[in-house]
Amino acid sequence: FDYKLESEQLDRVRGNMMKADISGGGDDDPSKSKMCAIPKPYLELCTKRVLVMEELKGKKLVVELKRDMEIQKKRMNKSLKKFGSSSSSDNNDNGGEMTNAVEDGFAKEFALGENGPTAEEYDVFIKLLDAKRRASNFYSALYNASVGWLPGRKRREYEGKSSLPINHAKLVDDLLRIHGHQILVDGCFNGDPHPGNILLLGVEEGKPQLGLIDYGQVKVLTKEERLLFCKMIVALANDDKEQICNLLKEAGYVSKKM
């Protein structure tokens, strides 16, 4: 490992992303939350064996998304109980039915499937839930300021923004745009973007933002290589086998039958 080289690569990619107005916030300007955050390296403190950079406060994207799914399942469970889905007192063995009802309701609400909801559809749904959350908190405030003071009354809790669903579709769209820009526009990209290198920041504040780390394997493409890559994507999308073979030859790939 050469952490001095990694710090320089990190600084280059981060600069490109900020120039494109894709990355921002952090130490530079916390008020400007962009599509993603990339840690700022402190080049003067970095050596071949030591990498010093800004800390991104968040957890792995996969962990946060799984956590979000569990939170929303619990919310669905409460909603079903509220409307009497499991209120049958003469049936004590309906745990499986309740679980299925939660799963079915959750799948319908989030339109789980091959395509799923778009980022815009997710956003509308989140805004509706947020309006409901605000109304509930307003009622709780009135209750706590009046009846809640009476002896024996339990004060109502407030629901924070962290209870709202995360827009999973937007995160996927953002990742595609970020890495597409790095590869096709800048020609300088992270060659190792596995899930462990993608964080999710700002969840507790209700402002989820991608955090991208680990730029030890940065690759650089020339303009000609980027154009060739674009042609390959189009050929694959069109299932143009002849063009795919021609482009592979042009790229220098060799096989037994080529």
Side-chain angles (χ1 to χ4, degrees):
F1 293 101
D2 186 343
Y3 289 123
K4 182 66 175 176
L5 175 61
E6 181 172 342
S7 68
E8 293 169 353
Q9 293 175 163
L10 171 60
D11 190 55
R12 179 178 177 181
V13 173
R14 182 173 182 272
N16 289 339
M17 292 289 94
M18 293 185 70
K19 186 178 179 181
D21 206 29
I22 292 175
S23 176
D27 286 348
D28 296 307
D29 190 347
S31 66
K32 293 184 178 180
S33 180
K34 301 294 183 181
M35 192 179 295
C36 72
I38 298 177
K40 176 182 179 180
Y42 296 94
L43 300 176
E44 67 279 5
L45 301 176
C46 297
T47 68
K48 186 173 182 179
R49 298 181 64 182
V50 177
L51 176 61
V52 183
M53 62 182 181
E54 171 190 6
E55 178 186 8
L56 297 185
K57 298 180 180 179
K59 296 179 181 178
K60 291 180 180 179
L61 176 63
V62 174
V63 172
E64 285 291 2
L65 293 186
K66 286 182 178 178
R67 173 178 169 271
D68 181 60
M69 296 287 271
E70 290 303 317
I71 290 174
Q72 301 317 314
K73 281 187 179 181
K74 288 180 181 178
R75 179 180 60 77
M76 283 296 301
N77 196 336
K78 287 181 180 179
S79 297
L80 288 169
K81 285 181 179 178
K82 181 179 178 182
F83 289 104
S85 296
S86 63
S87 59
S88 176
S89 58
D90 58 348
N91 184 2
N92 295 322
D93 298 322
N94 66 344
E97 293 179 11
M98 184 61 198
T99 301
N100 292 335
V102 173
E103 293 290 345
D104 291 344
F106 186 74
K108 288 178 181 178
E109 186 170 297
F110 285 86
L112 299 179
E114 184 178 350
N115 297 318
T118 65
E120 291 75 18
E121 290 169 339
Y122 242 120
D123 203 36
V124 170
F125 176 66
I126 292 170
K127 286 178 180 178
L128 288 173
L129 284 182
D130 191 34
K132 182 180 177 182
R133 179 189 69 86
R134 290 170 182 268
S136 176
N137 285 347
F138 179 71
Y139 174 78
S140 296
L142 292 177
Y143 179 91
N144 291 338
S146 55
V147 182
W149 287 100
L150 296 176
R153 293 285 185 174
K154 186 177 180 180
R155 294 174 65 82
R156 292 175 61 94
E157 295 183 356
Y158 299 104
E159 185 179 347
K161 279 190 173 183
S162 60
S163 66
L164 296 173
I166 295 171
N167 193 329
H168 296 214
K170 183 179 184 301
L171 293 175
V172 174
D173 291 346
D174 288 351
L175 279 171
L176 289 172
R177 182 182 172 190
I178 289 165
H179 288 98
H181 190 282
Q182 288 182 4
I183 295 170
L184 302 177
V185 179
D186 298 327
C188 179
F189 62 97
N190 186 356
D192 188 28
H194 63 76
N197 291 340
I198 305 172
L199 309 178
L200 191 60
L201 322 174
V203 174
E204 293 300 321
E205 296 79 12
K207 297 179 179 179
Q209 178 192 35
L210 293 167
L212 307 180
I213 59 173
D214 192 351
Y215 284 84
Q217 295 189 45
V218 168
K219 307 300 178 185
V220 178
L221 297 176
T222 64
K223 184 178 180 179
E224 291 70 27
E225 288 171 333
R226 280 178 273 158
L227 288 172
L228 186 61
F229 185 60
C230 290
K231 292 177 182 178
M232 179 61 76
I233 292 174
V234 173
L236 288 168
N238 294 333
D239 196 24
D240 188 339
K241 295 180 176 59
E242 183 178 351
Q243 177 69 344
I244 292 171
C245 291
N246 292 334
L247 291 169
L248 285 172
K249 291 178 181 178
E250 188 177 343
Y253 290 99
V254 178
S255 71
K256 292 182 178 179
K257 298 183 179 181
M258 287 176 62

